Amino acid sequence: MPSEPHLHARRVLGLRCRECGAEYEVQATHVCPRCFGPLDVAYDYGVIRRLLTRQRIQSGPPSMWRYRDLLPLEEDAAVVSLGEGFTPLVKAERLGAELGLRNLYLKNDSMNPTNSFKDRVVSVAISWARAHGFETIGCASTGNLANAVAAYAARAGLECYVFLPRDTEAEKLVATSVFEPTIVAVRGTYDDVNRLCSQVMEDLPWAFCNINIRPFYAEGSKTLTFETAEQLGWRLPDEIVIPIASGCQFVRHRRAAQELLDLGLVDGQDLPRLTGAQALGCAPVYRAWEAGTDRVSPVVPDTIARSIAIGNPSDGPYVVRIARETGGVVEAVTEEEIVEAIRLLARTEGIFTETAGGVTIGVLAKLARRGRWNGDEVIVAYVTGHGLKTADAVADAGRRVEIEPSLRAFREKVAV
Ligand SMILES: *Cc1c(COP(=O)(O)O)cnc(C)c1O
Ligand SMILES: [Zn+2]
């Protein structure tokens, strides 16, 4: 690729408040000092339009960084990468047949380096933090974020502190501690952890991936929708089913789809319907949706879908508005439906997802059985984490027969 040294100054304009529109220089902050609205990265799309083509993307690396022109990293900054993104988009023939959907696809983001979609956001956040001189990385996590941050901090050679609820799944703790971060296990919920981190951050020159450098972090989510469109042959799907924790990625998918349309990278003109999935045991956004309001009241989480158990989701109100605006819905499933959906996906497609994926597939199945679709729509479900992260949820699945090492025993007990 030719080097374009002064491009970034023009490509990334700064930060813009989502509420009042005030603009700020690029810096490690996420809240508008005037109105307390969230800050987003602002780009000069005129510059990007002159530069970006399908061909340029396709000649990029086989990772999410083929979309670097739409990510907030300077052109001369080194990327901290473990090969994240460009995960498989698989056509789900057997699951589709079971649900009466002839064009169902699964974006299998459990295939990322630390087995969840969080590698996308963390690769951007840590690349940005290192390029801007930060030496210590932190995060407030429900599990998967800590896992990704610990791995990418190791890769980047940065100090790392991850804060998570004390009762985070053992599998996620093992996969995090191997990278030797400092693990701060907090006696409380994720929302307590998040509040604590916001206080800790005040006195320390640290980059907290999902707090002060959240505007940059969030942008990484867009690549999931960019890749989906590319893998569908440069078309947006009719509807996407997305799990909701803080709502961060849901909001970015709206923006990603808009960018693809505005830049003329996809055929067609319509945004996909964006549909949100929550566990009933932690469903503040679903409750607001059902009540017909975008005021989201906090809840205390109680669900096996711990990676998406955020009781006070910062982007919740925006999720409700975007679901309504695009023609999507927000739906929720019970604990039993989560486990059934994990099994259904495994049985029909050979994909083992964690409880958050069970929420997504559970909502997909619920809506399909209720007759939401006629069957010809192109529907994509985002499968965001691997089943080994929450192995306990399905520990006793499948048929198991124990036998002596003899043909007779086999004939008697197995192939009867
Ligand atoms: C973090 C996470 C999400 C969604 O996160 P948002 O905070 O809503 O962006 C979804 N699935 C998994 C597995 C996650 O770890
Ligand atoms: Zn503002």
Side-chain angles (χ1 to χ4, degrees), residues 17-22 24 32-39:
C17 175
R18 205 183 295 168
E19 288 299 322
C20 77
Y24 304 93
C32 176
R34 286 180 217 174
C35 79
F36 301 107
L39 299 178

Side-chain angles (χ1 to χ4, degrees), residues 15 62 143 162 263 308 316 343 382:
L15 298 174
V162 299
L263 294 166
I308 54 170
R343 294 200 165 130
Y382 287 167

